[in-house]
Amino acid sequence: MSNKNTRKSDTGFLLQGTILAAASIISRIIGLVYRVPLTAIIGKTGNDFYGTAYEIYNIILLISSYSLPLAVSKMVAARMAKGQAKDAYRVLKGSLLFAGISGTAAMAIVYFGADFFTGTLLKTPLSSIALKVLAPTLLIVAIVGVFRGFFQGLNTMMPSAISQIAEQIMNAVISVVAAWLLFSYGAKVGAVLGNEDAYAAAYGAAGGTAGTLAGAATALIFIFFIFVTFRRRFLRKVRRDRTKVKEAFGVMMKVLIMTTIPVLLSTTIYNISSIIDNGIFKNIAHLQGYDATQISEWWGVFTGQYKVLINVPVSIASAMAASCVPSLTASFHAGEKRSVRSQIHSSTRFIMIIAIPCAVGMAVLAQPIMRLLFNDTDPLSGQMMMVGAIAVVFYSLSTLSNGLLQGIDQLKVPVKNAAVALVLHIVFLVGCMLFFRLNIFAVVLANAFYALCMCVLNGVAVRRYSGTRQNLKKTYLVPIAASAVMGAVVFGSYRLLDLLLGYNAVATIVSILIGVIVYAVALLLMKGLTEEDLKRFPKGYLLVNIAKKLRLMK
């Protein structure tokens, strides 16, 4: 492949990744915004109930259908690259059948097993109310995932992007309204049962999960409408398909299952650490004599504030991973090794350029951000963010590398790496809890350690199977140096503004804006991005012209 064609491929690859990343950022920001009033309504204890229900829901979702979008996009991309539109369309039909069966089974397991999961396993029995509300969402999300995977396999991220935003808007509105209504109802129930605060928080959390159900239904309606509109045009490609040998339906379903299983195992092991953390932390903390209310509030801050914040930048890596799989799969099956290496290199640099300054900024402004968003002045909340901000970098890189390995058909490697990292993670967490009595900070550190293990193991595998060698200076060292400059300026600007104005909100927001400008300038001056690099990004030529006018680039 020529340099020109490689650059064109990278530009399209980054464009699609940027579209999905932008939608993920917008969705996460909406999610972050609505969690502020939601937390104000249900409190830290309600966040514990909400987070516990969500962790169980996420694990069942991972097992039942989370891997479907990636598997479908991979299969569709591979067949479309060969001009097999008929088989690509049959992949969609088979996947919808699979989603219906797995989603229904998952819904039944969660609904009827809610009391066992929340009470027996996680020692949070009142979370069962919120978990039962979430149960139907599993079937809806499975079907939505198939349609998103189909469009991603066709290398168009717009339907997935817009449906994500629509889903999150509906989620935000319904979550807050339903939480407010059900919180009041729960207080009345609790007054009768003798535990007003706990039942109010539990029913309020259930209102929050009702928003998730409404959001998923909105996404399904929207993406199905897009599919019906698009279907006629795609069927023309199907009619033009002259492939003589039609892939057997049984063979196709076997390929789907065999593609899904490794992805399912890797994502399940990769994400199951959260529910394991919940169980280990709460059980050991109870044995160590900590107050049950204190334990619940600690976990509420961890899951309802800390994780919500770090997941905003990490969502960019998730979006880039989702968008890179179809493109990498097509290049890999076409034998375009140069394009494969170029895409891996570009996506990794893109993620590090964003994740590293986010981690530094969150660490520097940890307490002000907690005060701004959650009106939380407890020093422990800010300390949790300062200690765990580095996890943004590790989770971003490990999430992306999972997608990269899956894109080059190394589906089993992330499974093995996740299993090794999980074992090390559990040992680390238990050690921190038992020997150092670090309470909730043990969970924060263990999460960062787990992601670090995944980074190292996946990084070695990507290099081994693709031959890609990252430019250490441009990918890691320059963003770190530019972020350090930014961090120092942000720290100083916040202190000065807070001293002069006395308003945390103004000082925090202005300092963040200053940080963005300082980082961009420092990155360009340190030659972390060249003219050629910028041109590969969406609107790259415009960015180059702006940089040259400002004399940041020759």
Side-chain angles (χ1 to χ4, degrees), residues 295-343:
I295 294 170
S296 182
E297 289 188 356
W298 277 342
W299 192 261
V301 173
F302 174 74
T303 189
Q305 295 175 204
Y306 166 75
K307 288 187 74 173
V308 168
L309 284 170
I310 70 165
N311 280 338
V312 174
V314 173
S315 67
I316 301 172
S318 299
M320 187 60 70
S323 66
C324 78
V325 170
S327 181
L328 269 179
T329 299
S331 297
F332 182 78
H333 282 277
E336 299 169 350
K337 295 182 180 179
R338 187 172 184 174
S339 177
V340 168
R341 288 194 292 268
S342 181
Q343 289 181 41

Side-chain angles (χ1 to χ4, degrees), residues 184-445:
S184 300
Y185 175 76
K188 295 176 183 177
V189 173
V192 175
L193 299 176
N195 196 345
E196 184 175 338
D197 292 341
Y199 275 92
Y203 275 90
T209 57
T212 305
L213 174 60
T218 300
L220 177 59
I221 293 169
F222 177 84
I223 206 162
F224 184 71
F225 173 77
I226 294 296
F227 172 74
V228 170
T229 305
F230 170 79
R231 182 172 176 270
R232 182 179 299 176
R233 185 171 56 178
F234 184 77
L235 287 178
R236 286 199 290 268
K237 292 184 180 181
V238 172
R239 287 191 290 269
R240 289 197 296 267
D241 181 4
R242 298 293 181 242
T243 305
K244 294 182 180 179
V245 180
K246 186 168 66 172
E247 192 172 5
F249 186 77
V251 172
M252 185 176 294
M253 290 299 292
K254 182 179 178 181
V255 172
L256 175 66
I257 293 170
M258 296 308 293
T259 304
T260 301
I261 288 175
V263 178
L264 181 155
L265 290 173
S266 64
T267 52
T268 300
I269 297 172
Y270 184 67
N271 289 277
I272 203 173
S273 61
S274 180
I275 198 167
I276 290 176
D277 289 348
N278 193 328
I280 291 175
F281 168 72
K282 288 182 178 177
N283 280 284
I284 293 179
H286 278 295
L287 290 174
Q288 290 178 332
Y290 289 110
D291 179 70
T293 302
Q294 179 66 79
I295 294 170
S296 182
E297 289 188 356
W298 277 342
W299 192 261
V301 173
F302 174 74
T303 189
Q305 295 175 204
Y306 166 75
K307 288 187 74 173
V308 168
L309 284 170
I310 70 165
N311 280 338
V312 174
V314 173
S315 67
I316 301 172
S318 299
M320 187 60 70
S323 66
C324 78
V325 170
S327 181
L328 269 179
T329 299
S331 297
F332 182 78
H333 282 277
E336 299 169 350
K337 295 182 180 179
R338 187 172 184 174
S339 177
V340 168
R341 288 194 292 268
S342 181
Q343 289 181 41
I344 290 173
H345 184 265
S346 298
S347 59
T348 304
R349 284 189 63 197
F350 180 84
I351 291 302
M352 288 299 95
I353 285 171
I354 294 172
I356 292 173
C358 285
V360 172
M362 286 182 167
V364 171
L365 295 176
Q367 194 67 61
I369 290 173
M370 287 294 185
R371 286 173 58 195
L372 171 66
L373 296 177
F374 301 104
N375 195 28
D376 189 346
T377 57
D378 186 349
L380 181 137
S381 301
Q383 292 164 5
M384 197 181 296
M385 178 60 69
M386 281 189 280
V387 171
I390 188 62
V392 169
V393 176
F394 299 149
Y395 269 113
S396 295
L397 192 54
S398 58
T399 299
L400 175 66
S401 56
N402 268 357
L404 296 177
L405 287 167
Q406 289 157 0
I408 57 175
D409 282 357
Q410 297 301 324
L411 301 178
K412 295 180 181 179
V413 174
V415 180
K416 297 176 183 177
N417 292 345
V420 172
L422 183 61
V423 172
L424 296 174
H425 163 83
I426 292 171
V427 173
F428 185 91
L429 174 59
V430 173
C432 288
M433 289 287 294
L434 291 178
F435 300 114
F436 299 99
R437 295 182 70 91
L438 293 178
N439 53 68
I440 194 63
F441 289 99
V443 182
V444 175
L445 290 171

Side-chain angles (χ1 to χ4, degrees), residues 42 45-47 49-50 53 124-131 133 179 182-183 186-187 195-209:
I42 66 177
T45 301
N47 263 339
F49 296 148
Y50 182 89
T124 318
L126 287 178
S127 292
S128 64
I129 303 170
L131 185 57
V133 174
L182 289 180
F183 186 89
N195 196 345
E196 184 175 338
D197 292 341
Y199 275 92
Y203 275 90
T209 57

